[in-house]
Amino acid sequence: MLPDLLKIAELAAQSAAKHILNNDPSTVREKGPTDLVTEIDTKSEDIICEIFEKETPEFGILAEERPGINIDAEWVWVIDPLDGTTNFVHGYPSFGVSIACLNNGYPILGIVVELPVGNVYSATVGNGAFCNGNPIGVSKTNTIENGLFVTGFGYEHDEAWEANMNLFKQFTDQSQGVRRLGAASVDLCHVASGKVDGFWEFDLHPWDTAAGIVIVKEAGGTVSQMDGSPFSIFNRNIVASNKALHNKMTGQTRPVIEKLRLNGIDI
Ligand code: IPD
Ligand code: CA
Ligand code: CA
């Protein structure tokens, strides 16, 4: 069953990716002052959902740009039709299409098409992780000092955002660097393929993380909340790493999330 689902997911993701690359982000609507949604996001989602509605009509759909459909079903597709919209709008080359499949609430399949480069990252539970059909694995870096990291900043410039500015500084001080690219699903694939050693972010949504966490775990990495506790796609904060650095990373993120929680903020 998983190989068949992966084929369907890949058809959907590639069809959306083709549409995205064939378009100019000229029609930009504003969700919030910095949260851009283009007509291309919604069309990309339509393309994906049409394929799923035809191929797997009994599956639920949890997609970013529409209300959830049957999201308590045994099988649910989780879709970010264009992750990294701001980058896409500005022509900055880090965006993608992210699709996961949940079985009884657990992500068991993930595919991310990284654009504009066209890399296809995919994984199904128990079968390893791949990029363009070749097996991938996390890095072996075992000290923060030797590590390269990536993080992201959400649209809300709130207390968690402020806290992440400090974490950005903290990790930058200690490591070989921290990148901020702007597409969380792609960032997770960069952990999975060993390009970076770890990733963290606040305030994410299931469609940002569901596919990437399957790919990271199948590539040998670890995923948790910032306090080190198990991560569910409905948690808003995440740490993903090459496993070797996980406790070292959460040792630094834990006090930050605990302090935010004491102030009533849990994202
Ligand atoms: C955003 C990206 C970005 C992350 C934001 C997300 P979108 O998704 O993944 O990297 O920092 O929190 O909302 O809006 O471009 O699909
Ligand atoms: Ca997103
Ligand atoms: Ca999106």
Side-chain angles (χ1 to χ4, degrees):
M1 177 148 191
L2 280 180
D4 292 340
L5 289 181
L6 187 58
K7 269 189 208 142
I8 296 168
E10 179 157 6
L11 171 70
Q14 291 282 31
S15 306
K18 197 167 155 202
H19 174 75
I20 292 167
L21 290 182
N22 281 340
N23 274 278
D24 204 284
S26 48
T27 39
V28 176
R29 281 195 273 116
E30 280 202 358
K31 246 194 212 171
T34 52
D35 186 355
L36 307 165
V37 174
T38 64
E39 298 300 334
I40 294 148
D41 298 57
T42 46
K43 179 67 187 165
S44 167
E45 191 167 289
D46 291 346
I47 290 169
I48 294 166
C49 289
E50 261 171 42
I51 291 173
F52 288 156
E53 277 155 9
K54 178 167 169 274
E55 300 292 336
T56 54
E58 69 283 18
F59 283 33
I61 291 183
L62 176 58
E64 183 175 12
E65 310 298 346
R66 67 185 60 201
I69 302 160
N70 204 11
I71 61 168
D72 295 322
E74 183 183 359
W75 297 93
V76 177
W77 293 110
V78 183
I79 303 160
D80 193 332
L82 172 48
D83 188 32
T85 300
T86 306
N87 285 346
F88 170 69
V89 166
H90 290 268
Y92 183 81
S94 186
F95 49 95
V97 178
S98 174
I99 297 176
C101 186
L102 309 184
N103 180 223
N104 294 316
Y106 291 100
I108 45 101
L109 171 159
I111 180 162
V112 174
V113 180
E114 178 185 22
L115 298 172
V117 64
N119 285 329
V120 180
Y121 292 93
S122 66
T124 53
V125 161
N127 299 306
F130 299 85
C131 178
N132 302 329
N134 302 312
I136 53 169
V138 294
S139 70
K140 293 189 167 53
T141 309
N142 59 10
T143 62
I144 297 279
E145 290 69 26
N146 287 331
L148 182 66
F149 299 88
V150 63
T151 186
F153 293 89
Y155 298 106
E156 293 294 324
H157 293 197
D158 52 14
E159 230 175 294
W161 185 89
E162 196 82 40
N164 200 27
M165 281 289 167
N166 293 330
L167 268 176
F168 189 96
K169 180 173 180 299
Q170 199 171 308
F171 276 100
T172 303
D173 279 347
Q174 299 168 32
S175 68
Q176 299 200 350
V178 181
R179 302 293 178 250
R180 192 280 200 228
L181 298 184
S185 62
V186 173
D187 296 338
L188 285 163
C189 292
H190 289 177
V191 175
S193 52
K195 295 180 181 71
V196 291
D197 306 294
F199 163 72
W200 76 89
E201 189 165 348
F202 290 98
D203 204 10
L204 291 172
H205 295 279
W207 41 83
D208 298 313
T209 55
I213 65 169
V214 182
I215 298 168
V216 168
K217 288 196 264 187
E218 286 299 316
T222 300
V223 176
S224 75
Q225 294 186 62
M226 284 192 188
D227 63 3
S229 62
F231 179 81
S232 119
I233 57 164
F234 296 100
N235 294 128
R236 308 290 293 269
N237 67 85
I238 190 171
V239 175
S241 78
N242 67 355
K243 192 177 277 178
L245 286 178
H246 207 79
N247 290 343
K248 289 175 180 151
M249 287 186 72
T250 55
Q252 305 209 27
T253 55
R254 186 180 299 112
V256 178
I257 188 74
E258 282 175 352
K259 190 167 168 215
L260 286 168
R261 283 177 182 154
L262 282 176
N263 291 339
I265 297 158
D266 195 4
I267 55 174

